[in-house]
Amino acid sequence: MTISAGIQPQVQPKNYLTINQLNHSYRAGKPILKDINISIEQPGIIAIIGPSGTGKSTLLRCINRLITPTTGEILFQHSDLVKVQGKALRHLRRQIGMVFQEYNLVERLSVIENVLTGRLGYMNAWQAWRRKFLQEDIDRAFELLHHVGLTDFATQRADSLSGGQRQRVGIARALMQNPHILLADEPTSSLDPKTAVEIMELMDTLAASKGIPTLVNIHDVKLAQRFAKRIIGMSGGRIVYDGPAQGITDSHLKEIYGGESWLV
């Protein structure tokens, strides 16, 4: 799908995700997340910025229920992710794509097999164990490899790829889930500047073409401003800025990161 530059389709607000009064502590009395409130009603990239240790990764892990929040609610697909368990939770989690900082690929498997693992949440245990994928899923996996520019690498082992190529495989795998929302935890932190821009361009294009919101934890503020429609700035486990990417100022950045000697 080709997206014409400068043409932005009119998107009606939709309740993709609502987070209310979310708190999380790994140890009693030491909260990592403090009264987080976020409403996501538009597709596209939303960048989450803030210093290390402020809870950005914890927030994403709460959203996809890799961890269970201490208190609060996460409303997604008419359910509260904090409360659901078992089969209902598995059903909801397969609709939340995740791109990991360290790629999280199965190194000994081929690129196409890694992409196909994005369908495991839709298969029964016997099918998953045998990796018995439907032909339509295989066709879809090859289509996604084409979109991320890795068609020629389909049969190569994952451990033979560069960092940027591995991250592209991770993005394709997440999209194999047909997610309603995509989460990306520091997807560019291990990449050189050129490759980091390419990965952000890819996620921006795919988020627009699929019509889904993409929450990206990112340290590079300029990269966030370049690609995100909205920036959420966190400091000390709280949200201290939530607004347009181009609306963030040096004053906001000082509040988020503290000090000013690092500002250019």
Side-chain angles (χ1 to χ4, degrees), residues 140-162:
R140 169 75 170 150
F142 276 106
E143 178 187 348
L144 285 170
L145 283 183
H146 172 72
H147 283 306
V148 301
L150 291 178
T151 302
D152 294 340
F153 296 84
T155 59
Q156 287 191 205
R157 280 174 54 124
D159 56 10
S160 71
L161 303 180
S162 68

Side-chain angles (χ1 to χ4, degrees), residues 14 16-17 43-44 63-64 76-77 90-99 115 117-119 121-122 140 144 170-184 203 206-215:
K14 176 181 177 181
Y16 288 97
L17 183 78
I63 293 173
N64 70 4
F76 175 71
Q77 296 292 298
R90 290 193 297 272
H91 177 80
L92 289 170
R93 286 187 66 195
R94 70 189 187 188
Q95 299 174 62
I96 303 173
M98 184 76 184
V99 179
V115 175
T117 60
R119 296 304 295 172
Y122 292 85
R140 169 75 170 150
L144 285 170
I171 293 169
R173 176 188 57 194
L175 291 175
M176 272 299 292
Q177 298 175 219
N178 288 326
H180 290 264
I181 191 169
L182 187 63
L183 312 177
M203 289 197 296
L206 292 172
S209 65
K210 306 299 179 186
I212 59 175
T214 300
L215 275 70

Side-chain angles (χ1 to χ4, degrees), residues 208-221:
S209 65
K210 306 299 179 186
I212 59 175
T214 300
L215 275 70
V216 182
N217 283 349
I218 189 168
H219 280 297
D220 191 324
V221 175

Side-chain angles (χ1 to χ4, degrees), residues 216-231:
V216 182
N217 283 349
I218 189 168
H219 280 297
D220 191 324
V221 175
K222 290 184 178 179
L223 207 57
Q225 288 178 303
R226 178 173 173 179
F227 290 101
K229 295 181 177 179
R230 171 182 172 189
I231 287 180

Side-chain angles (χ1 to χ4, degrees), residues 44-76:
I45 289 182
I46 300 169
I48 305 174
I49 65 172
S52 297
T54 199
K56 302 187 305 298
S57 293
T58 297
L59 175 58
L60 292 195
R61 290 168 66 84
C62 285
I63 293 173
N64 70 4
R65 275 296 303 275
L66 288 175
I67 57 177
T68 302
T70 305
T71 60
E73 60 180 9
I74 303 172
L75 304 178
F76 175 71

